[in-house]
Amino acid sequence: MSRKPWELSFTAEPVEVAALRRIMRLHLGIWGLHDISDEAQLCVSELVSNVITHVGHGTPATLAVSVRGNHLRIEVHDPDTRALPVLRDASATDCEDGRGMALVDAVADRWGVLLRPDRKVTWCELATKLTAPHGHVEAPGVMRAEALLGLYAAAQLPCRTDAGRLIKSMAQEAVIDVITDFLHWLRAHGCDADDVLDCAQTQFEAQIDGSGAMGRNL
């Protein structure tokens, strides 16, 4: 699936933090990266709060998010190249100011600062379960659904009508497992599973009605 890098300009104010967290959560949901949503939102909060505290309220800034390899990269750009973030001990006796980067350091795989001629870029990266930027999370259900997609495309096996009750029961359980795995696959690819289920149900009913009408005509 496509995970196109995106960026958003904002003004460094406390009221913006919650909105940026929501936007981050929304994008990670679309990208199928729900498992790191909490950590990513925390990093956004702390990186933005760092600009508010050490650069100043009202500073024009930019949030940039991308996937690099199997890592999610979060960047916050601001115009002050002198106010560099400092890593302090986030112990209980410390004051709140200055603890932001310690929290980022605790949840991110790595972080750093890039100095450009006109801006500073404070960034961090979080590990994902992706094997490639455009791949999907390697969850068991998703992998099984991928395999089933290939099998389904290769051949469709006929269903036996003379199967015993036990075999039919086992087949029904297998079908339920297959549907569940495909729901995992849809979610990992950023699709709305409920919408797909509704469409499948509508298509199924239409095909049943069409078959019935054809049978009556014959």
Side-chain angles (χ1 to χ4, degrees), residues 5-187:
W6 59 273
E7 62 180 45
L8 178 66
S9 298
F10 65 93
T11 301
E13 297 286 357
V15 295
E16 296 286 347
V17 176
L20 293 171
R21 286 174 60 93
R22 287 194 297 270
I23 292 170
M24 172 62 76
R25 183 174 67 249
L26 174 63
H27 275 276
L28 292 187
I30 294 173
W31 285 356
L33 299 178
H34 311 269
D35 58 318
I36 59 170
S37 179
D38 290 342
E39 292 85 351
Q41 290 180 76
L42 184 148
C43 288
V44 168
S45 294
E46 299 307 329
L47 293 179
V48 173
S49 296
N50 192 69
V51 175
I52 295 171
T53 302
H54 299 288
V55 181
H57 288 251
T59 299
T62 300
L63 172 66
V65 181
S66 60
V67 173
R68 297 190 177 187
N70 58 355
H71 282 77
L72 176 75
R73 184 179 178 93
I74 303 170
E75 299 178 355
V76 171
H77 302 223
D78 72 74
D80 194 334
T81 58
R82 297 169 299 173
L84 301 180
V86 177
L87 180 62
R88 297 182 183 178
D89 182 18
S91 65
T93 58
D94 285 342
C95 63
E96 291 298 321
D97 289 347
R99 294 177 59 188
M101 296 314 299
L103 293 174
V104 171
D105 184 68
V107 301
D109 271 27
R110 47 185 176 260
W111 67 275
V113 181
L114 298 174
L115 296 179
R116 305 300 190 196
D118 59 341
R119 69 187 186 280
K120 172 175 81 263
V121 180
T122 307
W123 61 270
C124 67
E125 292 185 348
L126 299 170
T128 71
K129 296 179 181 179
L130 298 173
T131 57
H134 300 295
H136 57 69
V137 176
E138 298 296 329
V142 177
M143 295 302 295
R144 288 194 297 268
E146 290 277 80
L148 286 169
L149 281 172
L151 291 174
Y152 187 82
Q156 296 185 29
L157 299 178
C159 178
R160 290 180 55 189
T161 58
D162 59 341
R165 181 177 301 175
L166 179 59
I167 294 177
K168 287 183 178 179
S169 176
M170 294 173 62
Q172 180 173 314
E173 292 180 5
V175 169
I176 292 173
D177 289 339
V178 168
I179 293 173
T180 302
D181 286 343
F182 273 112
L183 292 178
H184 283 296
W185 185 88
L186 289 167
R187 180 181 179 184

